[in-house]
Amino acid sequence: MSEIKLPKIHVNAEFQRLWWTNVRWSLITGVVLIFMLFLFAKPEYRNWGSHFYQIGLMAMILSALAGYILLERSLKQDISTNTFDQLRMSSLSAWQMAWSRIIVVPMMAWVAFVLGWLAMLLGEKLEDGTTWTIVAILLTLPFLAWGVVCLVLANALPVRQNKQRWNGSLVQVVLLYIIGARWMDYWENALRDIEFSQITGIHIAIMSVIFATMASVFVCTRMVNVLHLKNVDKIYAVLAVCAPVLAWWLLGNMQTAAATATLIYGGLTLASVAMQGMEINRFRLPVWALTAPLGILAAIMLQSFDVVLIWCQIAAFMVIVRVCTYLRLGVNSVTVALATYLLVLFLWTTITSNYMGY
C-alpha cells in the first residue's frame, strides 16, 4: 500500500484574511495623493532639499502613529470576535501569523513610511554637506522601522489583561516613555565623564540589523505565548541578557562596556517591572530578575555614586509597583504605579533643586 503524501500548503491563510479585512486600495491611493500634494505645495521653488526632508520626516512620524493605531484596532477586533481562539487551532506557525499582521495590517502606514523615506533620501541628496553617517542612518531606517513595529505588536498583544497587570494600553506606553526620557537625562549626567567612541555608518547599519533581528525573535516569542499559551520566559531572558550587543562597538573598553551595560540593563529592568510585575516562582522568571543584578554589577564597576543612586531609584519604582499591585485598586495597578512614580520623581527633583539652590 503506497504512502499517502499530503500536499504542502504554501498559502498563508492568515495573510489573506488580514489582507481582505484591512487593505483598502482607495485609502492607499488617498495617502499617496495627499503626500504628493504636501510634497510639491511650496510657494518658492528653491531649497527643495530641506523641504523634501521635512515633509518626509513628518510623514514617517505620522506613519508610526498610524501603525500603532491600526495594529491595536486589528487586535481588538480579533479579540472581540474570538478569532484568537480559532487561530490556536490553525496549522500556521506563530511567525507566519506575526509577520502577516506586521506587514498587512499597517499597510497604509507602511506606504506612508516608504514615501517619507524616499523623500528624505531625495532631500538629503539635494542638500550640500551630506555625510556618510547621515546616509547610513537613512538607509537603515527600514530595519529600525521593522523592529519598532515588532515591538508595537508585541506590546499590543493581549497577555493577561486584567486590572492588576500590564495591558499594553497607549496610556501605559506614554507614561513609560516619559519615565524613560527622564532616565536618559539622569544617565547622561551620571556618565558625563565617560568618553564614548564616535558612532559611524557601519556601527549604525550593524546595530539596525541586530535590532530588527532581536525584535523579530521577540514578537514571534510573544505570539507563541499568546496563541499556544507556552511559557517563553527563558527566551525573554536570553534576549534581555544579550541586549548590550546592540552597542557592540562600545564593548571593547571596560569602562564604556560597563556604562553601556548598566544603561541598557537599567532600561530593561524598568520596562520589565512595569510589564511583568514583581512575582517570581519556579514556573515564571521575569526579565528584571536577571537584568537588575547584571546592571547593579556594572554600576559598581563604574565606581560612581550617581549611577548607584539611580539604581536605588529603580528599586523605589519596584516597591511602588509591588504596593500598587498588593492594594488591588479598582483601576489598572501598573498605570497607577507609573503615574505615582512620576509624581514622586517630580517632587524629589523639585525638593533637591530648591535645597541645592538651583
Side-chain angles (χ1 to χ4, degrees):
M1 183 176 181
S2 60
E3 183 181 355
I4 298 177
K5 295 183 178 180
L6 296 176
K8 294 183 178 180
I9 299 176
H10 298 285
V11 178
N12 189 334
E14 178 67 2
F15 184 93
Q16 291 184 339
R17 182 187 74 85
L18 293 173
W19 186 277
W20 293 334
T21 56
N22 292 275
V23 177
R24 299 290 183 271
W25 288 110
S26 58
L27 292 178
I28 293 177
T29 303
V31 169
V32 175
L33 292 177
I34 292 175
F35 177 81
M36 300 303 293
L37 175 64
F38 278 97
L39 191 65
F40 293 102
K42 193 173 186 299
E44 298 180 359
Y45 291 93
R46 57 184 179 182
N47 297 328
W48 283 102
S50 177
H51 176 71
F52 285 165
Y53 192 92
Q54 293 176 2
I55 295 298
L57 180 61
M58 183 182 301
M60 294 182 68
I61 294 174
L62 293 177
S63 70
L65 179 61
Y68 184 95
I69 295 174
L70 291 172
L71 281 171
E72 192 173 59
R73 185 185 66 178
S74 173
L75 286 170
K76 288 182 178 179
Q77 290 176 350
D78 286 348
I79 294 170
S80 61
T81 57
N82 296 322
T83 303
F84 264 83
D85 294 333
Q86 301 173 13
L87 291 176
R88 290 191 178 98
M89 298 180 289
S90 173
S91 60
L92 296 174
S93 66
W95 173 238
Q96 287 177 306
M97 297 182 187
W99 71 256
S100 298
R101 194 171 294 270
I102 289 172
I103 294 177
V104 179
V105 171
M107 180 64 72
M108 187 170 60
W110 278 119
V111 171
F113 170 81
V114 171
L115 292 174
W117 180 55
L118 293 176
M120 291 182 69
L121 284 174
L122 180 59
E124 196 62 38
K125 180 176 176 58
L126 296 176
E127 285 289 317
D128 297 329
T130 301
T131 63
W132 165 240
T133 301
I134 297 177
V135 174
I137 293 175
L138 293 178
L139 291 177
T140 55
L141 280 178
F143 293 98
L144 295 175
W146 175 267
V148 170
V149 175
C150 288
L151 295 181
V152 169
L153 177 58
N155 173 74
L157 284 173
V159 180
R160 295 183 181 180
Q161 289 191 350
N162 56 53
K163 294 181 180 180
Q164 303 301 323
R165 300 298 299 274
W166 177 274
N167 60 13
S169 67
L170 182 59
V171 175
Q172 291 173 330
V173 173
V174 171
L175 290 175
L176 191 58
Y177 173 79
I178 295 174
I179 292 176
R182 292 293 302 163
W183 275 105
M184 288 305 297
D185 294 337
Y186 284 119
W187 286 113
E188 184 178 357
N189 293 331
L191 306 177
R192 59 183 178 274
D193 296 330
I194 298 178
E195 296 182 1
F196 293 95
S197 59
Q198 187 177 6
I199 189 170
T200 64
I202 297 297
H203 295 152
I204 295 174
I206 296 178
M207 180 193 69
S208 302
V209 174
I210 295 175
F211 172 68
T213 303
M214 296 181 69
S216 300
V217 175
F218 178 66
V219 73
C220 182
T221 305
R222 187 86 163 181
M223 187 69 77
V224 169
N225 178 237
V226 173
L227 291 177
H228 306 305
L229 305 178
K230 293 183 179 180
N231 190 337
V232 293
D233 290 341
K234 292 182 179 179
I235 301 179
Y236 291 160
V238 171
L239 290 174
V241 172
C242 296
V245 76
L246 289 171
W248 57 274
W249 66 93
L250 297 174
L251 304 180
N253 179 272
M254 183 62 68
Q255 189 181 32
T256 55
T260 304
T262 189
L263 173 61
I264 294 177
Y265 287 145
L268 290 174
T269 300
L270 200 67
S272 175
V273 171
M275 296 182 182
Q276 296 181 302
M278 297 296 300
E279 300 84 1
I280 296 180
N281 54 57
R282 61 177 180 174
F283 302 107
R284 184 174 175 277
L285 181 66
V287 166
W288 65 263
L290 293 175
T291 57
L294 292 174
I296 293 174
L297 178 62
I300 295 174
M301 292 174 60
L302 288 175
Q303 297 180 354
S304 173
F305 177 76
D306 292 335
V307 177
V308 176
L309 182 61
I310 289 176
W311 275 97
C312 293
Q313 296 181 17
I314 292 180
F317 176 70
M318 298 171 72
V319 172
I320 293 175
V321 172
R322 184 69 184 92
V323 170
C324 291
T325 305
Y326 177 78
L327 292 178
R328 299 185 179 277
L329 304 171
V331 294
N332 189 286
S333 299
V334 174
T335 306
V336 175
L338 291 169
T340 302
Y341 178 73
L342 281 174
L343 178 60
V344 173
L345 190 62
F346 172 76
L347 294 175
W348 171 262
T349 304
T350 304
I351 293 173
T352 54
S353 298
N354 293 334
Y355 178 77
M356 298 182 68
Y358 291 154

